[in-house]
Amino acid sequence: MKKLVGLGLTYVIIQALIMTNLISYYLQDTLVTICINIILAVSLNLITGFTGQFSLGHAGFMSIGAYVCAFITMRNPTILGFLIGVFAGALAAALMGFLVGLPTLRLRGDYLAIATLGMSEIIRIIFLNLEITNGAAGLNGIPQFVNWTWLFIFVTATILGISNFIKSSHGRACISIREDEIAAEAMGINTIKYKVVAFVIGSFCAGIAGALYASYFYYIKPDLFGFLKSVDILVIVVLGGLGSISGSILAAILLALISTYLQSFPEIRMILYAAALIAIMIFRPQGLMGSRELSLELFGKLGDSLKSKKGRV
Amino acid sequence: MEGFLQQVVNGITLGSIYALMALGYTMVYGIIRLINFAHADVYMIGAYVGYFCMTFLKLGFLPSLIIAMFVCTLLGILIEKIAYRPLRNATRISVLITAIGVSLFLQYGMMFFVSANVRTYPEMTGIMTQSINLGNIVISMQQIILVSITIILMILLQFIVKKTKIGKAMRAVSMDKDAAELMGINVDSTISFTFGLGSALAGAAGVLVGVYYNTINPLMGTVPGLKAFIAAVFGGIGIIPGAMIGGYFIGAVEVLVAGYGNSMYRDAVVFAILILILIVKPSGLLGKNTREKV
Amino acid sequence: MTILDVNKVTKSFGGLTAVAKASLKLEKGELVGLIGPNGAGKTTLFNLLTGIYTPDSGTISLYKDGEEIALQGLRPNKICSAGLARTFQNIRLFKDLTVLENVLIAMHKNIKYGFVPSFLHLPSYRKQEEKLVEDSIELLKIFNLDDKKDELAKNLPYGEQRHLEIARALATNPKVLLLDEPAAGMNPAETAELRRIIKEIRQKFDLTILLIEHDMSLVMSICERIYVLDYGMVIASGTPEEIRSNKRVIEAYLGEEVNNA
């Protein structure tokens, strides 16, 4: 019950701030980025943090969602078209996740990382060369349907869906793979199946995030979904803590705010980002939260204080 | 046929660059099981050092090459000391992310100092401008020099690894770090040496690329770096001759795809090869399959 | 009635033959020991039985409800589902998970809800999860671990970690249980407790047990039959008395441990 009240409140407060123009257009962009990054990070956390499979190709799945949704909404610019686009994009990404995951998930550790990186580069190069994706120039003028309400729905669904999943027996099966793959198999867990399951769910959510991105920013090109984007998502997950959903959420918010403030110093932004990455790994490799979770009440309070701060800017 | 032979010549040239870089990846992976993403950026810095020596200090090709290799050696040792050594006992994912961080740091740090603009290497003079015609096949002097230097460096490396004391230490540490330490080998300095050696080769590759392709920029390392890593995986990561074979193979594939297929897809083909090897024989061409002990 | 039939199983690693044409049979309800000097291939044999390694040749058959299931070449999880569970010599618990979670994971095959209920926590999810937790606690009680169910596995004392591994193996509802040195590193009091537990679970769960152990007094006192492995070959089998007086066994052990027991 408390959960529902907290969620409802978050929605209403931000909706009110938007309607009263306390959140400017510019900040709305930040808000959208945060939401999309939360979806990406939480879903990658399922793959990397909970199942222990190191993926460096999340942006590739995101791009599939983005392009599929863009195609569909550009031909059918209605709200129904948008929703079909989001789900078709997510399904296409999930299908790709399945096709890629089945052979590559037998690999361990950094071999898997490099295979997923290679896969997402292949996807990017294909988008770069296809005619219907308009090559490097990308697609422009994608109808904009995404607003705070839709974002809220999809973000909440992702967070609740994935945190429910990991509390189920299927989710525990995934976690057991991270803990000890050989022991998990010896206890009857079909490790291949559950790795693929985690990968498919993760890609599905990445597809949703891509679709939302395309529909809000109405312009996509292959370079947006390169290696750097995958690293971006991974950094959020690691900074928040592998295996902590609230950590991913916190880190997504924190990094988006930092990056917004650093926007005025573009030339040193990436240098600081890189230095911070190294420093975190050396001094706090378990991330902000480790694998713990914030309790909801605490999170609600913190979230509200962050949001009200943002309102005042 | 002549067209094909010409492509082979070009493939060998490109393959030399990949092989030089792949050696660094394979040595570092062999010794600390890390995909050193920053390796590609050491190569980039090597190219800039060479550019600086030739353009501003007006040095010749060989002195510039040696200076670049020296600077890169120091850089490689420094990176290992600052960023990787504190993480010796951390999880693999932490170290990998650190490597990505170092890579970004070098790229954007370089961009800050020298700007993102493309720089052009000075015109070569004298013998470097000549070329040999064999029928319709053109082999430029630069290609010959590039390949010869690569081969000399590889022979030198084989000598160091196989015949010297430090080479023996490298092989020991890569087999079993703890046992090597118990046998009185200084593991830290051996790892430093490995980084230095690999980085020197990357620096050389950077200068050679600058001379051969003329243009350099701060992001030039990323794509060749990935391909060189793929070359190392292809040959069997951790295995030095494997990296050489892999480098030439990837170079040849890339040139042939560009020559006879669609050049836009040449990177995709290389990545597809990677995924294929990983699925069919993850231990690579010369590698042995190992299984976790239970 | 035979429940597990291992027939001429062989496994080589490079030039080394770790298990050579090893054959053994377990009758239903038996408690059988597997002994042999270090490096004799005991754990390798366990790894072959549980699918972690695939035998180069030979067959492994499990008889369940009158049906023969060929285990060689199956993946470990299939073998576990068929009814063969194990513990590990070098404890492989899910260290960073709680005691309860360790057991819950092993009970995974009992759940029948699909993915959708797990996302939405539908009633079918709730009902089955509650039952699962109940069953797990019931199982933990046998090992006196029920009051430690929320502790992380890695924080348990060593002896209890060994117990938890057995509990986790039992949670998979096996017909045959393979224990790999369950008493290793235990003091006499802990070993006595282990002896009680093995007896209790054997009756309660109608188990057939195969046990690797170096503690000869334990093996000799609880096992009905013993197989002796040396250089990957079964060199002797029989009752504890027969094994004690077997020449080849004494040779293999240089006459020490077996006599002392």
Side-chain angles (χ1 to χ4, degrees), chain B residues 33-82:
Chain B
R33 305 280 178 271
L34 161 72
I35 301 174
N36 182 15
F37 274 98
H39 191 63
D41 306 290
V42 172
Y43 151 91
M44 174 270 292
I45 302 246
Y48 270 93
V49 172
Y51 166 81
F52 181 81
C53 290
M54 290 184 199
T55 313
F56 298 108
L57 304 179
K58 308 281 180 218
L59 292 174
F61 166 71
L62 261 169
S64 305
L65 181 76
I66 290 165
I67 292 174
M69 287 173 71
F70 181 69
V71 172
C72 287
T73 305
L74 293 183
L75 181 65
I77 293 172
L78 200 68
I79 290 172
E80 194 275 326
K81 207 160 222 158
I82 294 175

Side-chain angles (χ1 to χ4, degrees), chain C residues 215-227:
Chain C
D215 184 335
M216 283 303 154
S217 63
L218 180 70
V219 177
M220 293 293 172
S221 65
I222 65 172
C223 295
E224 282 118 36
R225 280 199 304 131
I226 293 174
Y227 282 93

